[in-house]
Amino acid sequence: LVRKFLHANGFRYKLHDKTLPGKPDIVLPKYKTIIFIHGCFWHGHTNCKYYTVPKTRTDWWLHKINTNKTNNAKAVKALKKEGWKVIIAWECALKPGKQEKTLNRILEKLCY
């Protein structure tokens, strides 16, 4: 959805650049911008209805999700240190009803 939106608006990008910290979902080199698309469950989106801790193997899942959060923070910090602008789009913000606002927010951040 985000890639289609960016392409339709004339932006060109690279996907999953392994040379950058965190292997970003979308890389816009011309704008020195990174976009991460985070799934609410996998990245532990606080206060989100799509993030609930499973009732079985709770400790394992909490460890997994907290490790993802730690890795995300390290990647964002490293990218910012290298001069990249980082945008994070959450799964819940790309659901119908919210997606237009989210996509326009991404566009605004890219242009300014």
Side-chain angles (χ1 to χ4, degrees), residues 40-94:
C40 295
F41 174 77
W42 295 106
H43 297 273
H45 194 195
T46 310
N47 299 323
C48 177
K49 70 179 184 177
Y50 299 105
Y51 171 59
T52 55
V53 180
K55 304 255 187 277
T56 58
R57 300 178 65 197
T58 303
D59 291 338
W60 186 87
W61 280 109
L62 285 174
H63 176 71
K64 168 92 174 127
I65 292 165
N66 287 330
T67 301
N68 287 348
K69 285 180 166 183
T70 303
N71 291 340
N72 293 342
K74 286 179 187 175
V76 168
K77 185 177 179 180
L79 288 164
K80 285 184 176 181
K81 189 175 180 180
E82 291 179 22
W84 290 90
K85 186 177 359 173
V86 179
I87 300 171
I88 297 174
W90 288 95
E91 168 191 10
C92 60
L94 294 169

